Amino acid sequence: MIEALNRKDLLGLRDLSADEINLILRTAKSFKQISQRSVKKVPSLRGKTIANIFFEPSTRTRISFELAEKRLSADTISLSLSTSSMVKGETLKDTARNIESLKVDTVVMRHSASGAPHRLARHLTASVINAGDGTNEHPTQALLDMFTILEKKEKFEGLKITFVGDILHSRVARSNLWGLTKLGAEVTFCAPKTLIPPKIEALGVRVTSNLKEAVKDADVINLLRIQRERQQQSFFPSIREYASQFQINSEILKIAKPDVMIMHPGPVNRGVEITSEVVDGDKSVILDQVTHGLAVRMAVLFLLSGSSVEKVKEVA
Amino acid sequence: MSSNPKQVLDAEGVSRAVVRIAHEILERNHGSSDLMIVGIRTRGVFLAERLQKEIKNIDYVESPLGMLDITLYRDDLGEIGPNPTVGETDLPDDISGKIIVLVDDVLFTGRTIRAALDALIDFGRPQGIQLAVLVDRGHRELPIKADYVGKNIPTSQHEQVIVKMQEKDGADEVIVVERKTS
């Protein structure tokens, strides 16, 4: 069992070992408790500077990271696309160099191009945390999803987790797939054939377009948001038709396990991929996911911020 | 790895120290009302449990017990290597108004206690904080003093004090070894 993450960056769950994932989840448990105190702050990252650079819009992830950083006593700055110099044509590499000159310790980055954080990480001595890159990965989202599952179901081995929604464009689904299969869970992707990435079965996931089939023995159903724009791009004829076949509602849940857990990364499209009844019902842990997101991000920030010296001195 | 291990406390010695400290705590605080025993992870927690039990034997009152992980309050984070594992902190009820007896196995530089004080103050405003340690080995780097000491063991910087507890290591004892210089 490892005691520390000997890494500079968190770019994806594809690179992490099962041991490393377990370490992050264990650490998150301790951090969950801090948000329940009246003084919701610990001095661990005092004096560290963290830059949140979001080239793609985001409210929930950005706020979650900002709060996590502040609760660890770090200094934070946030940049979003419309105000960033990238709009003025600066290259990613130059943006990176400028950040470096400000002596930033950690960069949290979201970008619409898959692989952008990986590229940035190569040019920076600062740690880079991927907050979502194109359709590649969103590691902290998958980690908080896994933490939520662990809190309620207590194990991953043999657990059946079904994802329903736009798998094709989903970095959340991909990160979850890497993480969950490493820890022994069985993953199912359910979507219209137009929204399933070709040959994804090679990564160890069961694929189906039959919702009843996907739901009937699932321990966890994780819903991915359907973007209305996809209608215009001919991935499905209409939102209504999508909903008629793939929506999670009380009817469909009748054939699911009685203790099935409903998850959603948010924001929720009530009436599309999920009904209000289910969102607000007792099987939904959607709001817990938000709380857990804070704990998981604090854990990741904490674990990545140590220096990379191998030896740990004894302190008494 | 290290030479000349010297036993400075055996199982009976540890047990007697715990009993004595329990009596001293009750004497100084005129009883056990408002007391809370808080152990510092990891071995401080075992000692705290034993103290709680002993106090119950003498005074028939079970004082609330807490455990504190001070990793997040260390003053050397980011310097000593990848950040160490964080354990759970569990403090019962509100600590405000309570007399807290902090318990740790070895008092050395005092930095762990400094971190524990910061952690406790973030939780509330105790009436007072007292410190009980099994071993005081000297070499303080901060102005910190123990109120209750199991045994004073003068040591040199080259030595290491190892406390073994039944709950984790199978038996109770305290040994001093020459640290291997590397």
Side-chain angles (χ1 to χ4, degrees):
Chain A
M1 203 167 76
I2 56 168
E3 300 277 300
L5 269 190
N6 253 306
R7 287 180 173 271
K8 179 172 89 77
D9 314 295
L10 176 65
L11 299 170
L13 293 195
R14 184 179 186 163
D15 324 309
L16 292 188
S17 67
D19 259 349
E20 288 175 304
I21 295 175
N22 278 320
L23 171 65
I24 296 173
L25 297 179
R26 264 195 333 264
T27 308
K29 206 174 162 79
S30 308
F31 279 102
K32 181 178 170 186
Q33 191 246 18
I34 293 172
S35 299
Q36 290 157 347
R37 303 181 190 172
S38 80
V39 175
K40 299 174 188 38
K41 214 167 167 92
V42 289
S44 326
L45 294 190
R46 195 174 67 97
K48 300 283 187 197
T49 305
I50 305 183
N52 301 306
I53 311 189
F54 281 65
F55 293 99
E56 249 189 3
S58 160
T59 310
R60 42 194 354 102
T61 304
R62 191 167 52 82
I63 290 183
S64 184
F65 266 110
E66 275 182 36
L67 253 187
E69 292 149 16
K70 288 181 201 290
R71 289 199 175 156
L72 290 168
S73 302
D75 294 324
T76 76
I77 50 168
S78 287
L79 272 178
S80 54
L81 178 60
S82 54
T83 57
S84 96
S85 54
M86 287 286 290
V87 176
K88 301 178 194 158
E90 188 179 45
T91 64
L92 195 57
K93 190 167 164 185
D94 278 329
T95 304
R97 288 197 175 141
N98 278 283
I99 291 169
E100 193 94 277
S101 311
L102 291 170
K103 305 291 180 214
V104 167
D105 298 290
T106 301
V107 174
V108 175
M109 176 176 169
R110 172 175 282 194
H111 200 285
S112 54
S114 299
H118 303 64
R119 189 165 158 79
L120 197 80
R122 283 201 292 276
H123 292 300
L124 286 179
T125 50
S127 293
V128 174
I129 298 179
N130 181 4
D133 65 327
T135 54
N136 181 32
E137 288 224 45
H138 190 352
T140 55
Q141 179 67 43
L143 284 165
L144 77 87
D145 285 345
M146 292 172 73
F147 183 72
T148 305
I149 294 174
L150 194 59
E151 289 276 281
K152 303 273 185 196
K153 301 286 185 185
E154 290 172 9
K155 59 152 187 171
F156 291 104
E157 199 69 42
L159 207 65
K160 293 182 169 49
I161 299 150
T162 293
F163 289 82
V164 185
D166 184 353
I167 310 283
L168 182 62
H169 299 97
S170 173
R171 50 195 175 212
V172 172
R174 283 172 178 80
S175 282
N176 264 294
L177 180 58
W178 291 115
L180 289 168
T181 47
K182 277 181 215 240
L183 296 190
E186 293 171 29
V187 182
T188 300
F189 282 170
C190 178
K193 292 203 171 78
T194 49
L195 289 177
I196 302 257
K199 304 219 205 291
I200 191 97
E201 295 90 341
L203 292 182
V205 59
R206 178 176 74 133
V207 170
T208 174
S209 295
N210 182 324
L211 185 64
K212 293 205 170 99
E213 177 62 47
V215 152
K216 78 168 187 289
D217 54 358
D219 297 295
V220 177
I221 302 173
N222 198 333
L223 292 163
L224 304 171
R225 196 171 70 97
I226 289 294
Q227 292 174 284
R228 290 170 189 271
E229 306 83 80
R230 305 290 177 209
Q231 263 181 138
Q232 273 72 58
Q233 294 157 12
S234 306
F235 286 101
F236 42 80
S238 68
I239 290 282
R240 217 175 83 182
E241 179 149 346
Y242 175 85
S244 71
Q245 290 197 43
F246 293 95
Q247 182 186 76
I248 296 293
N249 48 45
S250 322
E251 273 307 299
I252 262 288
L253 287 185
K254 284 188 184 146
I255 63 159
K257 285 185 175 175
D259 61 349
V260 71
M261 198 166 86
I262 309 291
M263 296 175 61
H264 193 307
V268 166
N269 273 336
R270 287 169 186 262
V272 180
E273 67 268 1
I274 188 172
T275 55
S276 284
E277 215 172 357
V278 177
V279 171
D280 304 322
D282 57 4
K283 300 192 199 301
S284 152
V285 295
I286 296 173
L287 292 176
D288 290 327
Q289 285 174 269
V290 176
T291 309
H292 296 158
L294 204 35
V296 162
R297 288 172 176 127
M298 286 175 86
V300 167
L301 287 161
F302 176 77
L303 288 169
L304 285 184
S305 69
S307 68
S308 54
V309 172
E310 295 282 292
K311 217 170 79 159
V312 177
K313 217 167 61 187
E314 180 192 289
V315 173
Chain B
M1 191 190 87
S2 46
S3 52
N4 307 327
K6 197 175 52 165
Q7 189 190 64
V8 291
L9 264 185
D10 60 8
E12 233 183 284
V14 171
S15 167
R16 285 198 201 110
V18 169
V19 171
R20 174 180 44 86
I21 291 176
H23 278 280
E24 283 181 350
I25 292 173
L26 288 169
E27 182 185 37
R28 172 157 161 183
N29 294 296
H30 309 293
S32 57
S33 61
D34 292 339
L35 265 189
M36 184 188 289
I37 323 270
V38 177
I40 298 177
R41 286 189 149 249
T42 349
R43 291 182 177 78
V45 175
F46 304 137
L47 283 166
E49 282 166 357
R50 295 190 198 187
L51 275 173
Q52 182 202 38
K53 223 176 279 173
E54 204 46 57
I55 288 175
K56 188 168 176 187
N57 281 343
I58 307 167
D59 222 37
Y60 307 110
V61 173
E62 189 173 85
S63 307
L65 183 68
M67 62 180 169
L68 196 60
D69 181 279
I70 55 106
T71 313
L72 298 175
Y73 290 83
R74 291 174 72 133
D75 61 5
D76 57 357
L77 287 175
E79 291 168 34
I80 58 172
N83 279 338
T85 318
V86 185
E88 263 183 75
T89 289
D90 187 15
L91 293 180
D93 324 325
D94 189 10
I95 65 166
S96 296
K98 294 271 198 273
I99 298 173
I100 299 195
V101 177
L102 257 185
V103 185
D104 204 3
D105 54 348
V106 178
L107 177 57
F108 182 25
T109 59
R111 292 183 191 268
T112 297
I113 305 303
R114 195 276 322 156
L117 291 174
D118 276 353
L120 282 175
I121 300 294
D122 269 358
F123 276 90
R125 189 171 193 275
Q127 198 190 128
I129 301 177
Q130 296 164 9
L131 176 61
V133 296
L134 184 62
V135 168
D136 179 345
R137 68 170 285 200
H139 299 286
R140 217 75 77 237
E141 291 174 7
L142 297 174
I144 303 262
K145 177 180 76 82
D147 299 285
Y148 314 99
V149 182
K151 188 167 176 123
N152 279 297
I153 300 174
T155 57
S156 79
Q157 285 280 1
H158 306 296
E159 289 173 316
Q160 193 182 353
V161 174
I162 298 175
V163 171
K164 296 194 181 164
M165 308 229 75
Q166 176 113 33
E167 294 88 329
K168 189 171 168 117
D169 314 289
D172 291 341
E173 77 170 337
V174 180
I175 57 176
V176 177
V177 299
E178 259 316 294
R179 196 202 297 261
K180 180 180 173 190
T181 45
S182 48

